[in-house]
Structures are given as C-alpha cells and as structure tokens.
Amino acid sequence: MAATTNRELADFLRRARAQCDPARAGLPPDGRVRRVPGLRREEVARLAGVSADYYARLEQGRRITPSPAVVEAVGQALGLDAAGRAHLADLIGTTAGPVRTRPPGVQRLRPGVHQLLDSLDGGTPALALGRRADVLGANRLARALFADFDAFPAAERNYTRWLFLDPGARALFVDWEVQARAAVESLRLDAGRDQGDPAAQRLVAELRERSGDFDRWWRSHRVHQRTHGSKRLRHRLVGDLTVEYETLTLPGDSETVLYLYTAAAGSSSRRALDLLASWAPEAGAGRKNVRVLRPGAPDRTA
C-alpha cells in the first residue's frame, strides 16, 4: 500500500470481514462458492447501506472520512462488539489527518491513589495500570500474588510484557492462554487510540520478536476491553485459587485503571488470599508504589 493509506484500518477490516459468519449476518445462501472465509466486500457494503466501491476504498485504508452513522453501520455489518466498534472509530479517525499522539510525559499516580492502594492491602490485591498496561502501582498483596513489579527495571514494568516474557507468569496462571490473549487484544485496543506512540511501538516490536504466541495473536487483530473477569492461579505458596477482578477508571484520568482482585467470602480462594496476606513481607508495604517511566528514560524511582 502507499504511505498515504491507513494500514492498520485496512488490516482490521479485512480480518473482521473474514471472521464473519454469513448465516449469522442474516445472508441467505446464494449458491456461489466462497473461496475465502467470511463475508464478501459487496455483502458488507450491502449490510452497511453503502456502495461496494465506497466500502472497498475504506477497506483499502484510503483517506476518506465516513460519517459516524456509516462507521456504526459498518461495525454492525461486521458484527463488532463495543470494543471492536470503538477500535474501528479510532482507526478511521486517523484517516482524516495526521496520526494522533498523546501529550508526552511520564504517567504518575496521584498521592491519593497511592493511599487507596495501600488501604486495600489488608485483603484486596490491587494494581494500577496506565497506557499500554504499564504498571503504575501495586500494593503489597498484589506484589505477593503476581510479581514484585517494584523490583523490575523501570522500562520493564509492564503487565503484558511480564505475562509473555516471565516464565513465572506462565507457571502462575492456570488459564495463561486465556489471560495472555486478552492482554494482547487489550493492547491492540490501546495502540489503536494512538498509533504514533513510540513506547507502544517498541513494546509491540519486542514482544513480536521474542514471543511466537504474541506475534500470532497480534496478527489476528482482535480487540478486547477488560472490564471484569476471573483468573485461575496456581500460586507457589498458597496453592490453587481463583480471583475475580473488577476495573475502575479514575475520574479525571481515563488512562489509568485500577484492577481490584477479590474472592468470595468463606471460599478456599479467600482463605488462600488471607494466608498470603499474612505471609507477604511487611517490608514492601512501606515502599512507594512504582511510577512508570518511558522505556529508555532514566530511572529515578527504582
């Protein structure tokens, strides 16, 4: 493609179309042999109420600017969920002008958020993740449950990087593949909001080079918004447990998300968390929660 085309948009639309089931899209059999999986371009165009030529140019990543109604119609035609439609809108937004870039600077947690993390330390593991799933903060119990992110070099304090490159993460998660794929899809969603983020580009390049799983799932171009769910763990100290997580976006800071992990009262998982809380070294509780620096920047917080 020429440099003036939107490669990410073209790739996303082609892969989304290939994943569509014609029957679920409500298309009756037409007797024609489908040489490729999914919908044909003209079928997506018909379902979205646009011309086949217009949709073809959109799928080629041409610099056209569809209306919000057309973006929504294309998303519905492709059967995209809320995260997929948001990703589509993000990618289409870059066709109208220069690639958007977030203001430069280091993400830091407000002092009150540090205090909130510490206040949950008695029984609730809590992580604060920023752009690209950089770990901005972790309370004592989260460090004991997952990993001591404070001890990582500043440029490596990233949840997805840890998940793929640390052997301890693979050993910890019973459902590692489920968690890892969700992390890739979440990173895809975040990267689509700012295609000019050099830190994201470096992170993705490193993970694609070092992890075949990451590279394969990245190329599938699926997106996912993590809001809640569960994680099955096999902890080396307290054994098997399942934790539920909920995400909270900070008011006034949409790029920082708190992940809170809980277990049902009276359950074996709750007892395992309580045991871990009683064991976790108190020395970590007094340290300041980590502030993430851009990869390559001097580490003044470690």
Side-chain angles (χ1 to χ4, degrees), residues 204-271:
V204 170
E206 178 188 19
L207 292 177
R208 294 189 71 178
E209 179 181 355
R210 297 182 61 183
S211 171
D213 288 327
F214 181 92
D215 181 63
R216 182 173 67 258
W217 294 330
W218 184 262
R219 285 187 285 108
S220 72
H221 209 143
R222 292 178 179 268
V223 293
H224 172 69
Q225 179 67 62
R226 289 182 291 183
T227 57
H228 65 281
S230 62
K231 298 179 186 290
R232 297 168 55 213
L233 309 175
R234 180 161 294 142
H235 198 276
R236 63 186 181 86
L237 295 175
V238 296
D240 289 0
L241 69 157
T242 298
V243 292
E244 308 294 327
Y245 71 87
E246 294 286 341
T247 63
L248 305 174
T249 302
L250 294 181
D253 184 3
S254 62
E255 295 185 330
T256 299
V257 180
L258 296 185
Y259 284 74
L260 307 181
Y261 301 88
T262 62
S267 66
S268 60
S269 295
R270 181 66 261 174
R271 290 192 292 273

Side-chain angles (χ1 to χ4, degrees), residues 8 11-19 87 181 184-185 188 208 212-223:
E8 287 291 295
D11 181 69
F12 179 66
L13 287 174
R14 284 197 300 269
R15 292 183 183 277
R17 178 165 59 85
Q19 293 160 6
H87 187 59
R181 290 192 66 155
V184 175
E185 293 166 3
R188 258 294 189 184
R208 294 189 71 178
D213 288 327
F214 181 92
D215 181 63
R216 182 173 67 258
W217 294 330
W218 184 262
R219 285 187 285 108
S220 72
H221 209 143
R222 292 178 179 268
V223 293

Side-chain angles (χ1 to χ4, degrees), residues 6 9 14 17 26 60-61 69 85 107 124 126 138 154 166 172 188 190 197 229 247 258 264 266 274 281 296:
N6 187 328
L9 173 61
R14 284 197 300 269
R17 178 165 59 85
Q60 291 164 0
R85 292 196 299 273
Q107 277 189 282
T124 304
D166 191 323
L172 175 64
R188 258 294 189 184
D190 185 77
D197 180 6
T247 63
L258 296 185
D274 292 341

